[in-house]
Amino acid sequence: MSQLSPCDVCGTLVDTANEKRLKQHLRSKPHKVAAKKSQQQDKQSEAVEQPLEHTESDSDDDCPLSNLGAGCPVSVELHDSGTLPQGRPHLLPPFFPKMTAKRLREQTTPFITYDGGWLCGEVPTTVEEACELYLCNDGQKMNLPNIDVNGCRIQVPSWRSARESLLQAHAEGDVFWATSIVDLQHPRWFDKKKEVAAFTQVIIGNAGAGIGIHFDHYKHKKVATYVTIHMGVKHVLLLPPTTEHTEDGTVSPAIPDWVPKEFPVHPSPELLALVKEHKGYYFDLAPLADGEPLTLYMPKGWLHWILCPADWSVVCGGSMF
C-alpha cells in the first residue's frame, strides 16, 4: 500500500510504504544536503535520516495528499538544481497511486497519480537536445510545433525555422515554451478511442513560461487532459468549471473576479481561502525524489493556470473528448 509523507529532514514527499523508494530517497542529494545543514545548525544532535511516521489509509489506491501537512505537495526536488523553498502553501487534489478506467469514470475532480503517460525515448536535458528529438521533421509541413517567446506566438514556416527560433530565444535569455506532437505511451486508463491526436504532445519551457488561465478544448469541444512531468517543476492553480461566454466563435471561461491578473507565485492567505472556498487547488507539480514522473489529470471544463519556475522543464500529455 502506497503512502506519501513528507520527509522530516528535507520535506520531500516519499512513498514510505515502498522500501526501494525510501532507500533511494535516503541516498538522494537533496536529502543529504538537508541532513548536513541540520547538523551544522545543531551540532549537539546527531542527524537522523528518517521519514515521518504515516497513518494507514483505508484503501490501497486512495491516498489524499491533503492529509500530509505542511510538506511540499508532490516533490520539492528540482531535477538538477536542488530544492524549492520550504513551506510553500498548497491546496492539494486527491492522490491515487493507481488509476483504472472504471475509477476515472467516477472521478469528477483533478487528481495526481503515479499511473501516467511516458515519453517514448530519452528525456532531453537541454534545449539543443529537445530540438534534435522533437523539432527534426524536416521536409514535412504538417503538425509544425507551437512556439511562444516572451508571451508572443511565433509563426514558423518550417521545422528548421522552429529550431532557430527556439535556440535564439534560449541564447538571448527570453522566456519560451514549445509544444510538438510526439509518440507517447498513454496511461492504461486513457481512452484511445477518444484521443485528441493534435494534443498528444511534449511541452518544453523555461522559467516564467505559461499561457494563462484557461480550459482545454478542441474545435469548441471541451476535453479532459493529463500532463506527466518528467523534469522541472510547475506551479499549478486549478478551479472548477465556470460559466462561459462566446466571442467571435471562440468559447472562453468566465474568470472569477477574485482571480489575480498575474499568476500568484506567492499567494496571500486570503487568496488561498478563496481557492479553497471555490473547491479549487493550488500546488507544485514535480517528479519524485528518485526522478519518477508524476501525472496530473484535469477533467473537462476545469480551469488551469500553470507556470514554470524552473530553468528547464519537460512535460508530456494527452487529451480526450
Side-chain angles (χ1 to χ4, degrees), residues 87-91 237 258-260 262-277 282:
R88 275 186 53 77
H90 59 268
L91 298 168
L237 172 63
W258 54 267
V259 175
E262 301 292 333
F263 187 93
V265 176
H266 304 290
S268 65
E270 292 77 15
L271 178 60
L272 289 174
L274 285 169
V275 173
K276 184 175 182 179
E277 177 184 339
Y282 182 96

Side-chain angles (χ1 to χ4, degrees), residues 122-138 145-147 156 158-171 176-182 202-205 312-314:
E122 59 184 299
V123 178
T125 60
T126 65
V127 179
E128 292 79 10
E129 290 180 4
C131 287
E132 292 179 3
L133 287 170
Y134 308 130
L135 307 183
C136 57
N137 295 330
D138 293 342
N146 294 314
I147 294 180
V156 291
S158 66
W159 290 91
R160 178 178 179 178
S161 175
R163 291 194 298 272
E164 292 175 347
S165 297
L166 203 58
L167 291 172
Q168 180 179 350
H170 173 64
F176 65 84
W177 59 260
T179 67
S180 183
I181 297 175
V182 295
V202 63
I203 307 168
I204 58 174
W312 177 245
S313 70
V314 179

Side-chain angles (χ1 to χ4, degrees), residues 6 52 72 87 90 110 112 119 122 141-142 156-157 181 183 187-188 191 222 227 231 253-254 276 287 321:
L52 287 174
C72 176
H90 59 268
I112 295 172
L119 283 169
E122 59 184 299
K141 292 189 176 180
M142 296 180 61
V156 291
I181 297 175
D183 292 328
R188 58 179 178 168
D191 190 345
K222 295 178 184 177
V227 291
M231 190 172 295
K276 184 175 182 179
F321 292 111

Side-chain angles (χ1 to χ4, degrees), residues 12-248:
T12 298
L13 283 189
V14 184
D15 185 351
T16 55
N18 187 310
E19 184 177 357
K20 180 180 178 181
R21 286 201 180 101
L22 183 57
K23 288 181 178 179
Q24 288 175 331
H25 169 68
L26 294 178
R27 294 194 300 266
S28 68
K29 182 177 179 181
H31 182 88
K32 291 181 178 180
V33 170
K36 184 176 180 180
K37 185 178 296 184
S38 177
Q39 286 179 319
Q40 293 173 343
Q41 292 175 345
D42 189 1
K43 294 182 179 180
Q44 295 179 350
S45 300
E46 293 183 358
V48 179
E49 296 184 349
Q50 179 180 347
L52 287 174
E53 295 182 359
H54 65 279
T55 302
E56 299 287 341
S57 65
D58 295 332
S59 167
D60 287 349
D61 295 331
D62 192 354
C63 175
L65 284 173
S66 56
N67 294 333
L68 295 179
C72 176
V74 281
S75 173
V76 296
E77 179 184 4
L78 295 179
H79 186 75
D80 289 319
S81 55
T83 58
L84 291 171
Q86 299 295 316
R88 275 186 53 77
H90 59 268
L91 298 168
L92 299 160
F95 173 75
F96 300 105
K98 296 181 181 180
M99 178 54 61
T100 64
K102 179 181 178 181
R103 170 167 249 168
L104 181 66
R105 289 192 293 270
E106 301 169 349
Q107 189 66 23
T108 59
T109 64
F111 61 84
I112 295 172
T113 181
Y114 291 144
D115 206 356
W118 290 84
L119 283 169
C120 297
E122 59 184 299
V123 178
T125 60
T126 65
V127 179
E128 292 79 10
E129 290 180 4
C131 287
E132 292 179 3
L133 287 170
Y134 308 130
L135 307 183
C136 57
N137 295 330
D138 293 342
Q140 297 184 19
K141 292 189 176 180
M142 296 180 61
N143 300 326
L144 288 169
N146 294 314
I147 294 180
D148 183 284
V149 178
N150 294 330
C152 297
R153 191 65 59 90
I154 305 297
Q155 299 297 325
V156 291
S158 66
W159 290 91
R160 178 178 179 178
S161 175
R163 291 194 298 272
E164 292 175 347
S165 297
L166 203 58
L167 291 172
Q168 180 179 350
H170 173 64
E172 294 180 358
D174 295 325
V175 176
F176 65 84
W177 59 260
T179 67
S180 183
I181 297 175
V182 295
D183 292 328
L184 295 182
Q185 181 65 49
H186 286 304
R188 58 179 178 168
W189 42 265
F190 185 87
D191 190 345
K192 294 184 179 179
K193 295 180 180 179
K194 298 180 180 180
E195 178 183 6
V196 183
F199 287 178
T200 298
Q201 301 175 326
V202 63
I203 307 168
I204 58 174
N206 64 355
I211 60 174
I213 190 168
H214 65 285
F215 63 73
D216 288 340
H217 61 90
Y218 183 74
K219 295 184 177 180
H220 310 307
K221 294 183 179 180
K222 295 178 184 177
V223 297
T225 297
Y226 79 85
V227 291
T228 298
I229 186 159
H230 287 268
M231 190 172 295
V233 66
K234 300 285 188 179
H235 297 325
V236 183
L237 172 63
L238 302 176
L239 294 174
T242 63
T243 56
E244 303 161 14
H245 59 82
T246 303
E247 183 176 345
D248 297 329

